[in-house]
């Protein structure tokens, strides 16, 4: 039974409105708090990843293996490597290429590796190089991938 105060709403109606306001505030917090965290973490205005404030891009992101084949004469595996130039100047990449029988690494098994240097990579340009790996067994298809890369700006 609702008690009525002269000229105002009942106590039951006020209690219901209080719950409604509380639920709306809770819903708003659940929606906008993660959104605010996302904007802050992804480098929104003044956020942790703001332009120029974050660490430089890893050199591994600029290189890729574009081909993997076995040389028919020497039976060595050969990986074609492409390096994309970085803004800000010409430089060279030293890429570590890994050679395996499968794309998934086997724990405890050591894969063959080779280094290839890709010099004179200008901003916006793509330069190529080849990494020559070990003699490959017949009747097996090699997998070639980037294991690591370093970039050094030219003087």
């Amino acid at each position: 039974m609702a008690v009525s105060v002269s000229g105002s709403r009942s106590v039951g109606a006020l209690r219901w409105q209080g719950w409604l306001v509380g639920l709306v505030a809770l819903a708003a917090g659940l929606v906008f708090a993660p959104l605010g965290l996302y904007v802050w973490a992804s480098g929104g205005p003044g956020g942790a990843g703001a332009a120029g404030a974050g660490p430089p891009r890893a050199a591994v992101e600029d290189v890729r293996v574009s081909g993997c084949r076995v040389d028919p004469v020497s039976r060595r595996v050969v990986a074609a490597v492409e390096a994309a130039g970085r803004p800000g100047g010409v430089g060279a990449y030293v890429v570590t290429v890994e050679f395996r029988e499968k794309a998934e690494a086997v724990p405890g098994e050591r894969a063959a590796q080779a280094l290839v240097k890709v010099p004179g990579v200008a901003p916006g340009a793509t330069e190529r190089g080849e990494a020559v790996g070990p003699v490959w067994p017949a009747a097996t298809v090699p997998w070639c991938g980037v294991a690591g890369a370093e970039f050094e700006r030219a003087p």
Side-chain angles (χ1 to χ4, degrees):
M1 171 164 154
V3 178
S4 181
V5 180
S6 64
S8 67
R9 298 181 187 176
S10 69
V11 173
L14 290 176
R15 185 176 299 146
W16 180 80
Q17 287 176 345
W19 275 102
L20 181 64
V21 169
L23 286 175
V24 168
L26 179 64
L30 288 173
V31 170
F32 292 111
L35 181 63
L37 270 170
Y38 173 75
V39 169
W40 175 79
S42 65
R57 185 174 70 209
V60 175
E61 296 177 24
D62 299 333
V63 296
R64 71 182 189 98
V65 172
S66 60
C68 186
R69 65 181 175 82
V70 177
D71 181 63
V73 176
S74 67
R75 297 291 310 152
R76 290 187 175 274
V77 65
V78 179
V81 177
E82 291 183 354
R86 295 174 160 233
V90 177
Y93 286 91
V94 176
V95 183
T96 304
V97 179
E98 198 167 73
F99 307 97
R100 299 192 300 246
E101 289 185 18
K102 297 179 183 176
E104 300 83 29
V106 176
E109 187 175 303
R110 198 166 162 189
Q113 293 183 341
L115 293 175
V116 60
K117 186 171 185 175
V118 184
V121 184
T126 300
E127 297 294 334
R128 291 161 183 79
E130 284 189 341
V132 179
V135 174
W136 205 253
T140 58
V141 177
W143 176 88
C144 306
V146 175
E150 293 182 19
F151 178 77
E152 185 176 308
R153 196 162 314 281

